[in-house]
Amino acid sequence: MAVELVNMDREMGKECLHLWKTMTDTFVQIRGLDFQLMDDYLRYRVIDAGCPWTLSLLCFAMKFQMTKEEREMTDLISAAAFNSMVLVNDYFSWEKEWEEYQNNGCRGEIVSACFLFMKWYSVSQAEAKKMLKAEIKSRELKYCELKAAHLALGDVPERTVRWLGLLDCVIAGNFVWSMTTPRYIAGVDDSYPDLRAARREGRTTGATDDYIAPIAPRSGLTTLSFEKSHGGAQSADSLAPLEESTKEVQDRTDVQPPNGNSTGSLEQSSRLSRLMSAYGDIVTEPYSYIDSLPSKGVRNSVIDALETWYQVPERPLEIIRTIINMLHSYSLMVDDIEDGSVLRRGFPATHTVFGIAQTINAANMFLVKTMKFAESLSATAVSILTEKLLQAHIGQAMDLRWTHQSIIPTVEEYLDMVDCKTGVLFQLAAELMRSEATANKDLDLTELLKQFGRFFQVRDDYQNLVSAEYTTQKGRHEDISEGKASLPLILTLQKSPKRGLLLSILQQRKFERGLSIELRELVLEQIRSSDGLAYTRCEARRLQAEVERQLAALERKTGMKNWILKLVKHRLEI
């Protein structure tokens, strides 16, 4: 659906996706906050309940959009409407939420105004519901008064009148839905699984979609969200410890402990378990730090997308996801050391916090853990992982040599490096999933993911020089300061009459530990004047189109639309 929204109306579709992202972020945040005032609660609850997102979908369907000024003029009215709506939700959902809260051992808190009233005033459920009912009436009255006062001003734009009418309809519809939905009735099961099953049984033959298929078992909200909190790697604390991975290997019937000495293996596992319990935090702390930093979660979204075709069982899918996330964090820790980067995602790089030695040790620890996880899958998985790790280190060596010696590669050499380095995790995920697939085992995604990896890197090279977000997260024109052989620089040096000037500037970074802002701007100006940026943008769009062509061909071959991969592509479009 998200892809179709963007395809139909790019700007309104992107606004819908932005509000969805904000909603999913708030879903996590609100459950860790201690509210003391109702207005503070409502500011979060309105977003958590999806009020702005729902209205954006309705406006999209109506092809209706207000100007920024018109929205600002009605902000207080809209907020009053949304406040009354979420309180109505809290009122009618209370019994169901209280029942689930008790079934879960009364752990944590319920995100509900009723629960807050009980906590703030030490009152019973019945009294809290009375207080909530009075609050709803008060908020609805405030909405009506604000709306009437605004209309009384006269000369109200037609779009504003239409917006206020839409709010009226949504308030009424929300009340009816909240009052009647089985979702809010205690003791009534969720009917949605049955509806999905009925649709699955009635599905006609031919091309299918993946709307009703679970996107990623046990992954919560990870699939469509664009941030770390829903799509990132697991924390170090949540990962199966190394000794558990060893036990999983031993439990498999096709793998035996060395020399059949199970007693010795168990003793080793017990010793490792004791060591990890006593000292595990020391070695995992750098990993936990980088894993906690915000991320767009592209690799997790790609895994979710490939699951549409490969249908990997839950356990191996989670192991593969863990392997990819561990390797990604490993590569970031090591890359920042080798590149001399001081920022990562807008925060201090891991080695600037924990030191180079401790960071390398932690990175190596998790590299070893990926091998143990691969062992728990199969010998084939270990072989795939080993080959891709060798490939990745070759790509990294090429990149480091060019940077250290100020060598300017050809475009063909640059793409070889990208295939080895940037694209390798996407390829690794696909090959591991294919080895565990229950469907489409003959589906080869090599070419698709090669083109996707190239698009991802070329786009990154471009954004590094033009994006304000990249400046915040990595520093101003970091690729130039590092002397990295990015595509814009390669293209510029191939054709610029001031090649000597550029090479001299790149040499200066070796003496100054990077380039000054002024020198970076001078290099960027040469890149612009030589059309290096313009060509890179065109190349990114060409690769984007090639990914789309490859994806369409695979959808025809499998008879399955891959909406998740389409959405990932849209998110990255230039």
Side-chain angles (χ1 to χ4, degrees):
M1 183 184 75
V3 176
E4 291 182 336
L5 288 175
V6 176
N7 282 339
M8 286 187 280
D9 188 315
R10 182 174 177 81
E11 291 308 312
M12 292 189 74
K14 287 174 67 176
E15 176 67 9
C16 291
L17 295 183
H18 168 71
L19 292 172
W20 167 269
K21 168 180 171 291
T22 306
M23 179 180 68
T24 55
D25 288 347
T26 306
F27 178 87
V28 173
Q29 295 171 11
I30 194 173
R31 281 148 182 81
L33 298 176
D34 181 20
F35 296 105
Q36 301 299 323
L37 298 172
M38 181 57 66
D39 284 342
D40 291 341
Y41 167 72
L42 289 173
R43 270 194 290 274
Y44 279 87
R45 182 71 174 106
V46 158
I47 300 172
D48 169 63
C51 293
W53 175 68
T54 301
L55 268 294
S56 75
L57 289 178
L58 290 172
C59 289
F60 185 97
M62 298 165 63
K63 202 171 180 56
F64 165 62
Q65 195 170 19
M66 293 207 302
T67 66
K68 180 182 179 182
E69 292 74 19
E70 289 167 345
R71 288 199 303 270
E72 290 175 349
M73 289 291 292
T74 57
D75 271 351
L76 291 177
I77 305 173
S78 301
F82 294 160
N83 289 342
S84 68
M85 287 166 58
V86 297
L87 291 176
V88 165
N89 287 159
D90 287 357
Y91 184 87
F92 285 106
S93 65
W94 172 249
E95 281 73 18
K96 185 72 170 277
E97 290 177 323
W98 180 254
E99 178 184 85
E100 293 175 352
Y101 178 70
Q102 290 181 308
N103 291 339
N104 290 327
C106 298
R107 293 192 299 269
E109 295 193 358
I110 305 173
V111 179
S112 170
C114 202
F115 190 88
L116 291 178
F117 282 136
M118 291 173 64
K119 184 171 73 169
W120 291 342
Y121 302 107
S122 300
V123 296
S124 66
Q125 290 186 63
E127 188 61 31
K129 285 205 72 173
K130 287 181 182 179
M131 296 173 71
L132 178 52
K133 188 173 183 179
E135 187 74 24
I136 292 170
K137 290 181 177 181
S138 172
R139 300 284 174 168
E140 288 180 344
L141 179 61
K142 182 178 180 180
Y143 164 73
C144 293
E145 291 174 344
L146 288 171
K147 184 182 72 169
H150 189 78
L151 292 174
L153 295 173
D155 198 25
V156 179
E158 181 183 347
R159 281 192 299 267
T160 300
V161 174
R162 194 176 181 190
W163 171 253
L164 297 176
L166 179 60
L167 288 178
D168 284 346
C169 292
V170 172
I171 291 173
N174 174 72
F175 192 98
V176 173
W177 180 83
S178 299
M179 184 171 56
T180 59
T181 178
R183 177 178 170 183
Y184 287 171
I185 301 175
V188 176
D189 293 332
D190 178 13
S191 63
Y192 296 118
D194 292 336
L195 293 174
R196 287 193 290 268
R199 180 180 169 185
R200 185 179 296 111
E201 291 174 3
R203 183 186 295 175
T204 57
T205 58
T208 61
D209 60 53
D210 57 334
Y211 284 130
I212 64 172
I215 294 169
R218 294 173 55 198
S219 62
L221 295 173
T222 61
T223 304
L224 296 179
S225 67
F226 300 146
E227 297 292 321
K228 167 73 184 179
S229 56
H230 303 297
Q234 299 172 353
S235 67
D237 291 338
S238 71
L239 298 172
L242 193 60
E243 66 274 12
E244 289 180 7
S245 299
T246 305
K247 185 178 186 301
E248 287 176 348
V249 175
Q250 293 169 358
D251 286 344
R252 290 173 62 94
T253 58
D254 57 335
V255 179
Q256 297 297 330
N259 303 321
N261 185 359
S262 59
T263 302
S265 296
L266 289 174
E267 289 175 355
Q268 291 177 21
S269 178
S270 176
R271 173 174 170 76
L272 184 56
S273 178
R274 182 184 65 79
L275 290 172
M276 286 297 294
S277 177
Y279 308 111
D281 288 348
I282 297 174
V283 72
T284 62
E285 199 170 18
Y287 177 92
S288 299
Y289 170 77
I290 196 164
D291 186 57
S292 71
L293 301 185
S295 168
K296 291 184 174 64
V298 172
R299 288 161 186 82
N300 276 293
S301 295
V302 169
I303 291 173
D304 292 335
L306 302 187
E307 172 67 356
T308 298
W309 287 325
Y310 284 136
Q311 295 295 298
V312 178
E314 180 179 343
R315 177 183 173 277
L317 181 65
E318 289 305 306
I319 291 174
I320 292 168
R321 191 185 300 277
T322 299
I323 289 171
I324 298 302
N325 287 327
M326 280 185 174
L327 287 177
H328 182 47
S329 293
Y330 159 82
S331 70
L332 296 183
M333 288 189 281
V334 174
D335 278 0
D336 285 344
I337 292 172
E338 294 175 340
D339 294 342
S341 299
V342 296
L343 286 178
R344 170 61 63 179
R345 299 168 181 166
F347 292 84
T350 311
H351 66 280
T352 67
V353 177
F354 297 96
I356 291 176
Q358 184 73 355
T359 301
I360 291 174
N361 190 69
N364 289 339
M365 165 76 167
F366 281 89
L367 183 63
V368 173
K369 290 198 77 171
T370 64
M371 298 300 297
K372 299 301 294 183
F373 277 111
E375 283 181 7
S376 73
L377 291 174
S378 66
T380 300
V382 174
S383 177
I384 292 171
L385 176 58
T386 303
E387 180 183 337
K388 295 304 179 187
L389 285 176
L390 292 172
Q391 184 177 324
H393 281 80
I394 291 171
Q396 180 73 344
M398 296 166 70
D399 194 17
L400 291 172
R401 181 172 182 268
W402 297 338
T403 301
H404 180 68
Q405 300 185 18
S406 299
I407 295 173
I408 306 303
T410 65
V411 173
E412 290 73 21
E413 290 170 334
Y414 164 84
L415 291 176
D416 281 341
M417 180 275 294
V418 171
D419 292 344
C420 287
K421 183 180 174 182
T422 309
V424 72
L425 283 184
F426 299 122
Q427 297 167 25
L428 173 62
E431 292 190 25
L432 288 175
M433 291 177 72
R434 186 180 179 185
S435 70
E436 298 288 332
T438 61
N440 295 307
K441 285 188 77 74
D442 62 338
L443 189 64
D444 187 355
L445 302 181
T446 302
E447 188 59 28
L448 169 68
L449 294 176
K450 182 175 82 171
Q451 298 301 325
F452 184 82
R454 290 181 175 186
F455 163 63
F456 194 81
Q457 183 60 59
V458 171
R459 175 191 180 276
D460 188 80
D461 287 356
Y462 178 79
Q463 294 290 92
N464 190 276
L465 300 182
V466 302
S467 168
E469 180 184 1
Y470 270 54
T471 297
T472 301
Q473 293 186 349
K474 291 186 168 186
R476 193 173 184 84
H477 315 324
E478 182 200 36
D479 282 355
I480 293 177
S481 184
E482 292 177 0
K484 191 172 292 292
S486 65
L487 186 59
L489 184 61
I490 294 170
L491 296 169
T492 299
L493 286 168
Q494 285 181 348
K495 59 189 296 189
S496 174
K498 297 188 177 181
R499 175 184 171 93
L501 171 68
L502 291 172
L503 290 174
S504 294
I505 292 174
L506 293 177
Q507 288 293 331
Q508 293 304 310
R509 66 184 173 76
K510 298 181 180 179
F511 306 106
E512 303 295 334
R513 305 189 71 175
L515 296 176
S516 67
I517 296 297
E518 293 76 15
L519 285 175
R520 297 181 210 180
E521 291 293 343
L522 180 57
V523 173
L524 181 58
E525 180 55 38
Q526 292 300 313
I527 291 175
R528 281 201 180 99
S529 63
S530 300
D531 293 330
L533 271 180
Y535 184 91
T536 301
R537 181 185 177 95
C538 290
E539 181 62 11
R541 287 182 167 178
R542 185 193 69 76
L543 289 166
Q544 185 176 292
E546 178 60 22
V547 169
E548 192 164 345
R549 188 187 70 80
Q550 295 273 348
L551 176 57
L554 288 165
E555 287 178 332
R556 288 192 298 270
K557 181 175 180 179
T558 60
M560 295 184 70
K561 295 288 187 182
N562 198 317
W563 297 105
I564 303 174
L565 199 52
K566 286 176 181 286
L567 179 58
V568 172
K569 181 182 70 66
H570 274 293
R571 285 171 52 194
L572 297 174
E573 282 181 353
I574 293 179

